[in-house]
Amino acid sequence: VYPDDGDNVETIMQNADTAMYHAKEKGRNTYQFFTSEMNTDAVRRQQIESNLRRALKQGEFILHYQPQVDFACGEIIGAEALVRWQDPNLGLLYPNQFVPVAEECGLIVPIGRWVLTEACRQTQSWLELGLPAVPVSVNVSAIEFRSKGFLDGIAQTLKETGLPANFLELELTESILMHDAEFSTVTLETLKGMGVKLAIDDFGTGYSSLSYLKRFPIDTLKIDQSFVRDITTDANDATIVSAVIGMGINLKQRVIAEGVETQAQLAFLKSRKCEGGQGYLFSHPLAANRFANLLVAGSEFRKVCA
Ligand code: C2E
Ligand code: MG
Ligand code: MG
């Protein structure tokens, strides 16, 4: 609106464009008036994007590893690789501070490729050192999953790093899989054929079609931490978690609980026969060398699970 949103044609058009972009983001079929915050937001994103390009070039990403623990024996049965960004000016940044922007601008594809390569390289090097290494789980974004070279990239990375395929698990969310279930079925079958394991991340937060869920070759269901948080106080969450565990057992899928923080949550999950989990009760995500120490130390978590 002239003159509030600009005193010349270019500015008005540019701001209108920004407002349109926001309207599209809100799910389309709506309208938005321009506000100055939209510009600060856009500038901030642009800044993150150009910093991300630099980060890729300069190797500023690192991986932390969070152990997945078998509740019955306390042994480490897996590791989730979680990306962090060591920005020289801003310090250590967490995925929620940059993954959404990386997904928007497509940089998640090369970043994901780096994550995959690094996770495989690291795990293979632990195997070669004779450590009791465990399979590594890597998070995959929708854009990566649908990108052209995705399957080839996985095959090539396994080949280049020498990591046995059964030491790699890919974590996908329900929304990624349900978006185009036919495409997903084919892609998952191909991955399965390669020997890679497959997990559904944040299970329960999406809209899974149960008929697809039984058709997808899924190895692991990861119950979202939002359900685990209140299992001991919220009867609905307790019911949902029990039902998911039961379903997983019947579908012969491994069920892993995310965000296990207390002994009471662990006790509940064990009583419902949940196979394992990860969370601060056991360990925060750790730098590679600290995770390696944990592997060497052996069943550090036996006492916690007893
Ligand atoms: P996610 O895959 O569901 O990962 C679990 C998140 O929960 C991690 O946050 C982890 O640090 C955190 N967490 C672990 N234990 C606990 C606990 O006991 N309590 C609570 N409150 N939180 C816990 P993080 O590392 O900040 O990652 C957030 C999300 O970012 C991940 O959720 C995943 O969706 C995404 N992400 C992380 N790494 C990558 C990556 O390499 N590629 C892609 N595409 N996404 C990634
Ligand atoms: Mg995950
Ligand atoms: Mg999750």
Side-chain angles (χ1 to χ4, degrees), residues 201-202 224 258:
D201 202 357
D202 306 339
D224 190 62
E258 300 192 273

Side-chain angles (χ1 to χ4, degrees), residues 14-288:
Q14 203 175 4
N15 290 344
D17 197 51
T18 303
M20 179 181 70
Y21 183 71
H22 276 251
K24 282 184 175 171
E25 247 184 17
K26 293 215 169 217
R28 297 163 183 268
N29 201 16
T30 182
Y31 67 90
Q32 288 282 299
F33 284 106
F34 174 76
T35 64
S36 54
E37 287 88 67
M38 287 179 182
N39 262 343
T40 13
D41 220 40
V43 168
R44 196 185 60 91
R45 276 172 207 218
Q46 236 160 42
Q47 187 120 44
I48 297 178
E49 183 179 335
S50 72
N51 288 347
L52 279 171
R53 287 185 199 284
R54 182 206 62 214
L56 265 169
K57 267 206 213 104
Q58 318 255 349
E60 294 169 14
F61 295 109
I62 49 170
L63 291 185
H64 280 179
Y65 298 85
Q66 187 176 40
Q68 298 179 343
V69 177
D70 184 320
F71 290 159
C73 58
E75 256 160 51
I76 300 175
I77 48 173
E80 179 171 6
L82 295 155
V83 69
R84 275 90 181 89
W85 175 8
Q86 188 67 59
D87 185 294
N89 309 310
L90 303 172
L92 193 66
L93 301 178
Y94 287 81
N96 64 348
Q97 294 168 284
F98 62 90
V99 167
V101 178
E103 286 175 334
E104 252 169 61
C105 65
L107 282 173
I108 195 66
V109 174
I111 294 172
R113 190 68 191 268
W114 179 85
V115 169
L116 178 75
T117 309
E118 176 57 17
C120 292
R121 186 204 61 75
Q122 180 64 77
T123 306
Q124 175 61 16
S125 110
W126 284 331
L127 280 169
E128 281 168 12
L129 285 168
L131 269 56
V134 290
V136 69
S137 302
V138 171
N139 293 284
V140 176
S141 283
I143 304 159
E144 293 175 78
F145 187 68
R146 291 180 201 292
S147 68
K148 246 178 129 225
F150 177 66
L151 287 171
D152 288 343
I154 303 277
Q156 199 188 336
T157 306
L158 288 171
K159 200 166 149 218
E160 278 169 14
T161 59
L163 185 72
N166 62 342
F167 270 82
L168 175 65
E169 180 168 73
L170 299 178
E171 294 194 3
L172 303 145
T173 61
E174 291 166 87
S175 51
I176 297 179
L177 297 176
M178 294 304 157
H179 174 74
D180 179 350
E182 294 301 331
F183 171 87
S184 298
T185 309
V186 176
T187 309
L188 295 180
E189 292 290 353
T190 310
L191 288 165
K192 199 73 218 154
M194 289 161 56
V196 172
K197 294 198 202 143
L198 303 165
I200 300 194
D201 202 357
D202 306 339
F203 188 73
T205 60
Y207 301 91
S208 270
S209 142
L210 294 180
S211 64
Y212 273 112
L213 199 60
K214 76 167 190 224
R215 272 167 50 193
F216 290 153
I218 296 295
D219 301 280
T220 307
L221 290 183
K222 297 188 72 178
I223 307 179
D224 190 62
Q225 55 188 48
S226 62
F227 299 107
V228 175
R229 191 174 305 132
D230 298 323
I231 36 176
T232 57
T233 51
D234 183 324
N236 290 334
D237 284 345
T239 306
I240 292 170
V241 168
S242 304
V244 172
I245 296 170
M247 187 183 72
I249 292 172
N250 286 319
L251 290 175
K252 309 239 173 337
Q253 288 158 346
R254 203 165 68 108
V255 180
I256 294 287
E258 300 192 273
V260 183
E261 295 181 351
T262 68
Q263 279 288 352
Q265 290 166 341
L266 173 63
F268 177 92
L269 292 162
K270 280 185 78 168
S271 76
R272 296 299 190 279
K273 306 268 180 304
C274 182
E275 190 171 323
Q278 57 189 89
Y280 300 159
L281 176 65
F282 304 103
S283 168
H284 281 255
L286 303 171

Side-chain angles (χ1 to χ4, degrees), residues 74-76 132 293-302:
E75 256 160 51
I76 300 175
N293 290 339
L294 206 59
L295 284 175
V296 173
S299 38
E300 174 114 338
F301 306 121
R302 196 175 290 158

